[in-house]
Each structure stands twice: as structure tokens, then as C-alpha cells.
Amino acid sequence: MAQQATLPRPKDKPLLILIDAHALIHRAFHALPPLTISRTGEIVGAVYGFTNTLLKAIKDLEPTHCAVAFDLPGPTFRHAKFEKYKAQRVKAPDELINQFHRVRELVATFGIPIFEMQGYEADDVLGALSNQAEKLGVDTLILTGDTDTVQLVTPTVRALLSKGMFRETVLYDETMVRTRYGVEPCQIPHLKALKGDPSDNIPGVPGIGEKTAAKLLQRFGTIDGIYEHIEEVTPHKLRELLKEQEAVARQSLELTTIVRDLPIELDLEDCLLSGYDREKVLELFRELEFSSLLNRLPSEEKLKPRAPSAKVSIPEVEELASVERIYTVVDTSEALQRLVGEIRAKGSFAFDTETTSLNAIQASLVGLSVSPEPGKAYYIPVGHKSGSQLPLDQVIHEFKPIFEDSSIAKKAHHGKYDMTIVGNYGIEVRNLQFDSMIAAYLLGEKSLGLKSLSFSKLGIEMTPITELIGSGAKQISMADVEVSKASDYACADADITGRLATLLEQELQKEPPLWKLFCQLEMPLVPVLLRMERNGVALDVEPLHRMSMELGEQMAELEAEIYNWVGHQFNINSSQQLGDILFKELKLPHAKRTKTGYSTDASVLEGLREAHPIIEKLLSYRQITKLKSTYVDALPTLVNPQTTRVHTNFNQTGTSTGRISSNDPNLQNIPVRTDLGGQIRHAFIAEGAPDWLLLAADYSQIDLRVLAHLSGDTSLTAAFNQDEDIHAATASQIFTVPLDQVTPDMRRLAKVVNFGIIYGISGYGLAQRTDLSQEEASSFIDSYFQKYAGVKEYMESTKAQAQELGYVETLLGRRRYIPEVNSSNAQARMAAERMAINMPVQGTAADITKIAMVNVQRRMDEAGLKSKMILQVHDELIFELPREELEEMKVLARDVMSGAMELSVPLKVDLKMGSNWGEMD
């Protein structure tokens, strides 16, 4: 809550908070991005926002009592008095209306009473409740976003108004109302009756604004008082206006006045926040997928939970969730020997590591946890600063044979990280049989963290890591946590990983294509990615240092030129200042101004290229600034001091299409077609050159080849089978000219469409990317579909499949759940349709690349080559190799990659080589 929301009151005095559900749900709906439940697609963003506000209010305001007021559907007494009341309001969308029942369910689950009354609004209900609370001598705070409620303010009733999701709040007491409106709270309905209230379509007296209305009320008190002394009103024109509009003013007063004497009864005992049914709340949070709010639930100190109700039984998880926990610290040699024997006897175990850093290659091991069966786990501390523990060397000596024994199955959550950690100590984990994070990813789960999955799949709350190590500037290392405090946390990580593996394996096996994808591709890929990360990339930092100085000079020159065009200096990196410069001072055309100012994002600036010379300078400045900070200056700092190489992290579960992403640093987003991007790539070198080289093997137009296969389009398939230039072939088809008469401009336009089609490009989108008008672009796309009718048919059938099943899939059965494809919101639905069209194409291309990576690494190992696979950039694999292995690697890469998957068109692989990434040819 905002600081001004703090209520000075004795701790032993009751505080009742009254929540205006209608106002807060509406604000949450418009303030937050769409949020849906996985697979079902139910929109719950407003429910999430309301829940967040409720939990924040309980935590920050520490109320003793709580009640919630709702509007009921149907007309109110105000509609009967004035037919046009709120007539201008657009009907609330179904996506919002459908969330009200969920909020009611949530409120009921917390045991908070709901008040409502047919024919009256929530404001009236709040008025009646606050009036009764005042008579009972109970301090009351109304949580709302509606300014109408400030008329309810009294010495014991306050209103807390939000401007968003209670990130910005204003507390209205009597003083604040007087300061803001110039009248007393009880005069607010008279003020609004005189000036009108456009939000409710209340007309008021034409020509009277807020200042005039306030002056009248300061002198005469009420509307009755004004008309009792109407002859004293000056000037004459105002007096005559008021006389003419008396009926309107009095009717408006009836509409703006909140009713306070409804026949509803405030029972403080029912409103007491003495506890809540935590199990019911957890059950609802699981259903709504609100795992991120778990740690926001009131603690026992704030709100003691009631005795738990009977848990709803979920057959497939009941046994796994209810197993008794037996967690043990292993801190003696005898206990360690017994544990090793137990693991060998079981033949499998789940494991997890506690470390000093999220950077796996640089992290040190603090402790190892293992779980040989559900409910049973052991923690072996080795690197805590205090507490009984075993020597690291002894633990490594005992567990190295276990980890490297292929006959013993291992299970982990984000196993690549844990394998890297133990790999730092010379252990190669063999037979990682199951990774619960990858399994959850394939099954379409949104939140892949162990604790989120534990809650959503098993109904088990886990302790957040922040309870042990804190957060922000005060965060400590796990090594600083005492063994006694860390052991249960660490044991739970291994235990829950094992339980999740059992459950998720059952779910995967119900979908044979997914199970096959998991076993035959995703799990074999884990050690391949691990090796690539550990291989790293050699970096020549000197060119980057020189480049940094040169870019700094270019930035200074651009700054001077930009300031020269404006006439004064300003903060170029401030969007607000830049917007004022462009659209106020330079008077450039702009879109509608938002609350935060004018938009100056890339798309806006691109559209202004021809409007003023400053735009070109700004775009150049931004490009240089981004490349300098993201790569040129950052990369040298990321060189590992032990290996003298840069080690990126390849994320196997980071995209919705199955593509591998790269981070810390992201080596996949270095610009390809710019001079600056090329200069940065020159810094990535083959260590040991000229005796070593870099080799890049790149799938040629793989997305379009997959599209040809999926669509079965005869023209597209024929072009690839005849090894034609696909963009020239497309241009030939659309412009109806022979291939040898296709001009560069024709080919360029066809290329934009070819790749745009995969992403469901529209006429508007094509126009934005070319010099065509929107009408010409739409006509061009129509021509494309006439020539490639199979592609159009594929797109329509894919959308239909998504609408029927709620998901689309790749050739290997990888799924993307897209429930929004059936949304009543046209914008959301069209975006979902574009996702549906793109995913099978891009996802199949990703599967092909992954198959190639696994097979290439296997062939390299079988041949005993020194060559190393070091990078994967979308459809390209990059190797570092000794010059004497170049020819063998060229044959191997092209052979394996082109044969990764059999399609109706050939997979073509282009090869390039050089001593650095930038000069490959």
C-alpha cells in the first residue's frame, strides 16, 4: 500500500475494511495483461488482480474485520428515476463478466461475507454498512476505485482510492476531501449533482463546473439551501441558469446520493478475520494457477488459519502427495556408506544440489540432496560455513561411481544445472532418465519451477528459497545458512522432484507421441547442451575494447548532432523527454498520448524516418547504444577466468515452439545483417587458429521446407525438389513471369511474403515491411494464396484444429496449447490464430535441429574426433575443430543434418568456415 494508506490507530482497536468488488475487478481487468489458465483458456487476470489487492490489504492494513460488496445484474432504482443513467457505458465484455463468479468464489473461500441487494449498487451497500459500523464505533476503511464513495467519509470512515492495482493510492479522510474538492464529504453528492458526472451520464446543470459548484455549496450548504436563497445567487446569469435547471439539479442529486439505510445488517462477528480455510484457498489457487501468490497468503501471525477442511481427493496424486516425509542429514562416514548402499539397492534416485551461485560453471557445491523413494530424502552438507558436515572430497569419491553408473537411473528438475555442478568436480552424470522440468514443459505447464509444480500438480506447498537466504541487497548465500535450517529445504527439493517425476511420467505415457519425444529427443539432448555450455566459445577481447571506444565516439557525435537539431541538450534515453522534444517542440505527427507520455518505441520512430533528419540519428544512436552495452562492453566481462572462454546457457524450455534459446549472454541475437553485428562476431574466434577453425552448418530455408511438407502444396514442393531459388520461384508465380525475368525487387517482395506467411502476416503487416500500400499488400497476399492454394488450405485447417482441440502440434507431436483461439476478443483470437499457424512450422524446424544436434554429437563421439560443437543459433550449428578434421566434419555435418528427418522436400545444409565467426564463407 502507499505510505498515505497507513492508518494511525491503537493496535487493539478494530478496523473494518469494506471492499468495492465491482470497482476493483474492473480496474484489475483493465490494468493487467490477459492471464489464462493453462489448457482451459479461462481468463482470470481480473481475479488475480483482485486477489493481489485483497492479500496486500490484509498484510499492510492489518484489518480485524472485512466485508465485500457486489453489484447485482439488472437495473437499479437510479435507472427507474433516470432512463439515461449510465446509458453511455459499453456493455462489459464477456471476458470480464465471466470473472465475477470466480471472485465471489475466492471471497467465500476466505470466509469473507458478501453483501449485495437487488435494485441498488455496491456503493449503496457500502453506504449502509459503513453507516452501521460508524454507529457501532468501529473504524472503517473503504477500498475502492470509485470517487463517489468519498461522500461516505466521516471521522471514523475513510476511503482508500486506487489509481491502478493499489500501487498508487490516496487516503481520503475529511481533511483530504476538503483539500481536494473544497467541500465537506456530505456535500459531495450536491457537488456532483451541480457539475454533473459524465462517468454515470448524470447531466448536472449545464455550464456549472466544479469550482462554481464548490463556491455555491460553501455559501449555501446544499442544493436545498441554494434554492431557498436563490435570489442571493450572483451573477444574474448563474441565478437564472439555476432556476431553469432546478428539476435537473434535484434529480441529479437523487442519482448522486448514496443510500445509507438499506435493510441489510452488518454482523461484525461474521466479518471477523479470525481465520480462513487454508486448504480450500490452496485448492482454489491450484485450479486458478495462482502459485505465485502462495507466499502472499497471510501468515499465522497475521491471520491464523482455521482447522483444515477435508481435502478434495485427486486420485492420481493422492498417494504421492500424502506420503510421510522422512528427511535425514548425512554427516558421518557410516551414514554416507549406508546411503550409497541404499541407492545401489534401489537402482534409481532423484537428486538436487545446493550451490553458491546460479551460474553453474562458476558455482561451488554447498550440499547434495538425494531421494531414493517418495517421502524419503537425505541431505549431505559439504560447503556450509557452520554445522556438522562431511569433507567434499569424501562425498565426491563416494558418489562419483554412483553418478557415472549407467545402470542407476537418475531424476532431476532442471538436471542440466545439477549435472554441471557435479561436473565441476569431475563427475559425468550418466543415465539422467527423467527431468521433471522438461516433462512439465512438454505437457504444456506454464510455471516450470519446482515449487510451482509441487503446488499445482501435487498440492504440496514448498518453502520458498527467500525464507532461507532473503532477497535483494540483503540476500545471503546458501553457504551462509546453517545446516539445520537448510536440510529440510534441500531434502524437499529432491523428494518432490522424485514424486513429480513419477506423476509426470504417467501423464506423458498417456500421450505416446509426447512420451516418445521426451525419451528419444529431449532427454538425449540434455547432455549435448551441457557439453556445448562447458565447451564455451573463445573470445578475442581486444577488438571489442577498440570497438567500445569507437562506438563511444560515434555516440558522442550523434548526441551532438541530435542536440544541434533540437537546440539544447536533454536526456536522449528518457522516453518522456524525447517524446516532448519530438512531438511538442518539433511538432512531429504522433499517435494519441498515453498516461505516461508519447510513445517513442522503434515502430514509432521507423514511421517518422521521412518526417525529420533527427529520426535517422536517433535510430542509429539507439542501435549503437544497445549493441555497445549488451555485447561490446558486456562480453569481455563474461569471460570465465578459469576457462578463458564465454559460456552461454542454452535453455531447453524457454520457448513455446520448442526452439532452444540462449542467455547470459544471449549469443543468438547478435545482428546478422549489420556491419556492427559483423564486427562483434569477428571477436568470436577459433582458439588455436590457424591450426583450428570454426565451421558453421546452416539449414537453408528450413521453415519454408517444413511448410512445403506440412501443406503439401504442389508448387512449393516442386520448387524445392528442383532446387530452385524459392524466393525467385515465388516471385515468378505471383508476377507470372519466367524465372529468368524476376527482378531483385520482385524477389525481395516475394521473400518478405514467404517468411511472413509462416507468421500469419496480414496486408497491414506486409505494408509495414515494404513500400506497398495496405491495399496493394493485401492484393499481393491474395495472389500468393491463389498460386499456393495448398498453403492457404493448411493455414485454415490448422486454425480449425486449434479451435477444436485447443492446441496445435509438430510432426513429432510437440504441442502448443492455444485456448485463446476461441476467445470472443477478436484481437486475442487473431493473435492466437497466428501462433497456431506458426508453431507447427517453427516447432518442427526446431525438432529437426535438435535431432541433428543429438545425432551429430553421437557421430563425433563414435569417430573419436577432437572437434567440438560450441553454438546453436536457430537453424545453425557452429563447431570448433582442428584443421585436419575439417573435411571429415564437413561430410559428417552435412550428412547427419540433411538426414535428420525425412520430408517430402530435401533438407539442404550450407557450410561456411573461417578463423572467426564474422569472416566465415
Side-chain angles (χ1 to χ4, degrees):
M1 292 286 170
Q3 188 174 0
Q4 62 265 38
T6 303
L7 294 179
R9 78 178 206 279
K11 287 293 182 182
D12 58 347
K13 189 173 182 182
L15 171 66
L16 167 68
I17 58 172
L18 299 176
I19 299 178
D20 183 350
H22 185 80
L24 296 187
I25 294 169
H26 272 267
R27 283 187 177 270
F29 180 77
H30 294 291
L32 297 175
L35 178 68
T36 59
I37 297 177
S38 302
R39 305 198 191 183
T40 68
E42 181 185 346
I43 299 173
V44 291
V47 188
Y48 181 90
F50 181 91
T51 307
N52 185 57
T53 298
L54 174 63
L55 295 177
K56 189 169 179 59
I58 291 173
K59 177 179 181 291
D60 292 356
L61 301 175
E62 299 183 338
T64 56
H65 299 74
C66 182
V68 176
F70 275 91
D71 282 345
L72 284 172
T76 68
F77 79 92
R78 292 181 177 86
H79 294 90
K81 288 179 178 292
F82 182 52
E83 186 179 350
K84 295 181 180 179
Y85 180 67
K86 294 187 177 181
Q88 88 289 1
R89 293 197 180 181
V90 179
K91 182 181 180 295
D94 291 341
E95 288 86 350
L96 170 58
I97 293 172
N98 294 337
Q99 297 187 63
F100 274 82
H101 81 279
R102 283 294 198 180
V103 174
R104 289 175 177 274
E105 185 180 1
L106 174 92
V107 171
T109 304
F110 270 95
I112 299 172
I114 292 173
F115 291 87
E116 55 200 344
M117 189 168 179
Q118 195 66 55
Y120 294 88
E121 297 178 56
D123 285 353
D124 301 312
V125 175
L126 293 168
L129 294 173
S130 62
N131 186 43
Q132 293 178 45
E134 183 175 22
K135 291 176 180 177
L136 293 170
V138 175
D139 281 349
T140 303
L141 184 66
I142 301 171
L143 270 60
T144 182
D146 188 349
T147 58
D148 289 343
T149 55
V150 299
Q151 65 182 272
L152 301 176
V153 169
T154 71
T156 61
V157 177
R158 300 167 179 83
L160 185 62
L161 268 69
S162 72
K163 295 181 179 179
M165 288 316 302
F166 276 81
R167 284 186 289 270
E168 293 181 56
T169 57
V170 179
L171 180 66
Y172 280 89
D173 56 11
E174 291 179 302
T175 301
M176 178 58 99
V177 175
R178 293 186 199 108
T179 302
R180 166 62 182 85
Y181 294 102
V183 297
E184 298 295 324
C186 62
Q187 294 176 302
I188 292 293
H190 300 263
L191 182 82
K192 291 198 171 191
L194 289 171
K195 75 182 186 66
D197 188 350
S199 66
D200 288 339
N201 206 35
I202 296 173
V205 178
I208 291 185
E210 188 170 308
K211 288 184 178 179
T212 301
K215 287 180 180 179
L216 286 168
L217 294 171
Q218 287 165 7
R219 182 177 180 187
F220 300 110
T222 65
I223 285 179
D224 276 346
I226 292 171
Y227 284 103
E228 286 170 4
H229 301 86
I230 191 66
E231 297 303 327
E232 299 174 27
V233 174
T234 57
H236 173 77
K237 184 177 180 181
L238 176 60
R239 181 169 64 248
E240 293 306 310
L241 176 64
L242 284 166
K243 287 180 179 179
E244 290 172 11
Q245 299 293 325
E246 181 175 357
V248 172
R250 292 189 181 280
Q251 183 187 49
S252 295
L253 179 60
E254 289 184 86
L255 300 176
T256 58
T257 301
I258 292 176
V259 179
R260 304 192 194 197
D261 57 355
L262 297 183
I264 57 177
E265 182 180 354
L266 175 66
D267 187 333
L268 286 177
E269 189 66 29
D270 284 347
C271 299
L272 191 64
L273 278 173
S274 60
Y276 65 104
D277 191 332
R278 189 179 180 89
E279 291 300 335
K280 281 190 177 180
V281 172
L282 293 178
E283 183 184 325
L284 182 60
F285 274 27
R286 281 186 67 196
E287 185 179 346
L288 297 173
E289 298 180 356
F290 286 177
S291 57
S292 63
L293 294 179
L294 280 181
N295 62 353
R296 303 278 305 283
L297 285 175
S299 64
E300 291 195 12
E301 291 77 17
K302 290 277 185 181
L303 187 60
K304 187 175 179 63
R306 297 173 188 159
S309 60
K311 255 189 169 180
V312 175
S313 174
I314 304 171
E316 62 268 29
V317 303
E318 185 178 7
E319 184 178 345
L320 285 169
S322 60
V323 175
E324 181 184 357
R325 301 187 190 191
I326 304 174
Y327 293 166
T328 306
V329 176
V330 176
D331 56 3
T332 67
S333 299
E334 295 76 17
L336 183 63
Q337 291 294 331
R338 286 195 300 270
L339 174 57
V340 168
E342 183 177 350
I343 289 174
R344 288 197 176 278
K346 289 287 183 182
S348 68
F349 68 100
F351 77 101
D352 185 70
T353 57
E354 301 302 333
T355 66
T356 57
S357 169
L358 292 177
N359 185 323
I361 288 179
Q362 294 184 355
S364 299
L365 185 67
V366 175
L368 174 69
S369 56
V370 297
S371 175
E373 60 184 84
K376 195 173 186 180
Y378 301 86
Y379 182 55
I380 313 159
V382 295
H384 291 268
K385 293 179 181 177
S386 63
S388 176
Q389 49 199 317
L390 288 168
L392 174 62
D393 290 346
Q394 181 182 358
V395 174
I396 296 300
H397 176 77
E398 293 293 341
F399 264 88
K400 181 177 173 69
I402 296 285
F403 276 120
E404 296 187 346
D405 188 337
S406 298
S407 68
I408 299 176
K410 291 88 183 175
K411 303 170 188 177
H413 188 85
H414 190 15
K416 178 161 65 68
Y417 175 87
D418 299 305
M419 292 166 69
T420 302
I421 294 298
V422 298
N424 293 340
Y425 300 93
I427 296 175
E428 179 186 353
V429 177
R430 298 191 179 105
N431 190 15
L432 179 68
Q433 190 180 78
F434 203 94
D435 189 313
S436 48
M437 184 173 78
I438 295 172
Y441 168 66
L442 290 182
L443 287 165
E445 295 291 334
K446 284 186 178 179
S447 298
L448 301 178
L450 179 65
K451 290 161 184 62
S452 292
L453 288 170
S454 171
F455 176 67
S456 63
K457 304 300 289 184
L458 296 170
I460 297 175
E461 281 186 272
M462 297 180 69
T463 303
I465 185 66
T466 51
E467 284 197 15
L468 273 72
I469 65 173
S471 59
K474 295 183 179 179
Q475 188 175 81
I476 61 176
S477 166
M478 184 59 86
D480 297 311
V481 179
E482 293 181 8
V483 172
S484 60
K485 292 182 179 179
S487 58
D488 278 2
Y489 173 89
C491 284
D493 281 353
D495 175 24
I496 298 302
T497 294
R499 298 196 212 192
L500 276 174
T502 301
L503 178 63
L504 296 177
E505 181 174 340
Q506 293 170 4
E507 291 189 19
L508 280 174
Q509 288 179 343
K510 293 175 184 176
E511 304 289 347
L514 284 181
W515 178 239
K516 183 178 180 181
L517 181 67
F518 177 80
C519 295
Q520 297 185 12
L521 181 54
E522 293 293 354
M523 290 309 299
L525 183 63
V526 174
V528 174
L529 294 177
L530 186 151
R531 287 176 68 175
M532 290 172 64
E533 290 179 3
R534 195 169 285 284
N535 286 337
V537 191
L539 190 73
D540 186 355
V541 298
E542 286 307 315
L544 291 177
H545 290 321
R546 291 194 298 271
M547 189 177 178
S548 178
M549 294 180 62
E550 293 168 2
L551 292 180
E553 293 170 359
Q554 291 179 38
M555 287 170 60
E557 292 173 5
L558 285 168
E559 282 181 353
E561 292 180 39
I562 291 168
Y563 296 150
N564 186 52
W565 279 110
V566 175
H568 61 84
Q569 293 189 6
F570 65 98
N571 184 355
I572 299 175
N573 297 312
S574 166
S575 180
Q576 186 173 358
Q577 289 187 36
L578 179 59
D580 288 342
I581 293 292
L582 296 179
F583 306 121
K584 285 186 177 180
E585 294 190 30
L586 299 181
K587 309 295 185 185
L588 300 186
H590 60 82
K592 185 178 179 181
R593 183 170 182 174
T594 65
K595 291 181 180 179
T596 56
Y598 300 102
S599 172
T600 60
D601 62 21
S603 62
V604 171
L605 295 187
E606 285 289 347
L608 294 171
R609 270 188 186 273
E610 306 301 322
H612 196 287
I614 196 175
I615 302 299
E616 194 71 42
K617 305 297 181 185
L618 286 168
L619 288 169
S620 297
Y621 179 85
R622 281 189 175 179
Q623 182 194 35
I624 292 173
T625 301
K626 182 176 181 180
L627 286 176
K628 184 175 185 294
S629 62
T630 306
Y631 294 108
V632 178
D633 292 341
L635 282 171
T637 68
L638 297 174
V639 174
N640 186 301
Q642 279 75 45
T643 66
T644 67
R645 295 168 74 92
V646 173
H647 303 268
T648 187
N649 173 61
F650 291 109
N651 190 345
Q652 203 169 341
T653 60
T655 67
S656 56
T657 60
R659 274 191 165 181
I660 297 167
S661 60
S662 162
N663 64 286
D664 296 329
N666 182 349
L667 298 182
Q668 296 181 336
N669 277 5
I670 302 174
V672 178
R673 296 178 179 85
T674 66
D675 290 339
L676 290 177
Q679 291 179 52
I680 294 171
R681 286 170 182 250
H682 271 77
F684 291 87
I685 61 173
E687 191 173 4
D691 296 330
W692 282 67
L693 295 168
L694 296 182
L695 171 68
D698 187 13
Y699 277 116
S700 173
Q701 299 165 339
I702 187 171
D703 286 357
L704 291 175
R705 292 172 189 268
V706 170
L707 178 63
H709 177 86
L710 291 173
S711 67
D713 184 88
T714 53
S715 297
L716 201 56
T717 302
F720 279 121
N721 282 326
Q722 294 164 21
D723 200 22
E724 294 177 352
D725 177 337
I726 190 61
H727 304 310
T730 298
S732 173
Q733 287 277 338
I734 296 175
F735 290 105
T736 61
V737 298
L739 266 174
D740 58 2
Q741 293 182 27
V742 171
T743 66
D745 283 344
M746 291 178 180
R747 185 185 183 279
R748 179 180 58 81
L749 188 56
K751 182 177 181 180
V752 174
V753 175
N754 270 334
F755 286 115
I757 287 297
I758 300 168
Y759 296 93
I761 196 171
S762 63
Y764 173 79
L766 180 58
Q768 292 291 101
R769 292 167 175 78
T770 63
D771 297 328
L772 298 177
S773 68
Q774 189 167 336
E775 184 179 353
E776 291 171 330
S778 296
S779 176
F780 196 90
I781 291 174
D782 290 340
S783 298
Y784 178 95
F785 285 132
Q786 288 174 10
K787 299 297 183 181
Y788 295 104
V791 174
K792 180 67 172 177
E793 185 179 338
Y794 158 75
M795 292 170 67
E796 295 304 319
S797 64
T798 302
K799 287 190 286 187
Q801 179 199 355
Q803 290 161 359
E804 179 184 356
L805 301 177
Y807 64 84
V808 290
E809 55 189 359
T810 67
L811 283 176
L812 294 186
R814 183 188 303 278
R815 291 180 182 175
R816 179 175 185 178
Y817 290 89
I818 313 178
E820 297 85 356
V821 78
N822 291 312
S823 170
S824 59
N825 182 296
Q827 188 174 359
R829 184 174 63 253
M830 288 189 290
E833 288 175 349
R834 290 193 293 271
M835 294 177 199
I837 292 167
N838 170 253
M839 190 275 172
V841 176
Q842 197 177 100
T844 296
D847 288 344
I848 290 171
T849 303
K850 287 179 173 179
I851 292 170
M853 294 171 72
V854 172
N855 291 345
V856 165
Q857 188 63 63
R858 187 184 67 248
R859 284 276 299 273
M860 288 166 62
D861 290 343
E862 290 171 351
L865 298 177
K866 298 177 183 175
S867 300
K868 297 179 286 189
M869 186 157 49
I870 58 173
L871 282 177
Q872 184 269 342
V873 183
H874 304 313
D875 310 321
E876 181 180 45
L877 301 181
I878 300 175
F879 306 88
E880 188 176 40
L881 59 149
R883 187 174 291 273
E884 63 268 19
E885 291 181 2
L886 176 61
E887 294 306 315
E888 185 176 0
M889 275 299 300
K890 287 166 66 175
V891 173
L892 187 154
R894 179 170 278 150
D895 177 50
V896 174
M897 291 176 68
S898 61
M901 185 182 291
E902 187 174 346
L903 302 178
S904 58
V905 298
L907 289 173
K908 186 177 180 182
V909 180
D910 295 327
L911 300 176
K912 297 179 292 183
M913 62 218 71
S915 60
N916 65 63
W917 194 3
E919 70 174 21
M920 290 190 186
D921 54 28

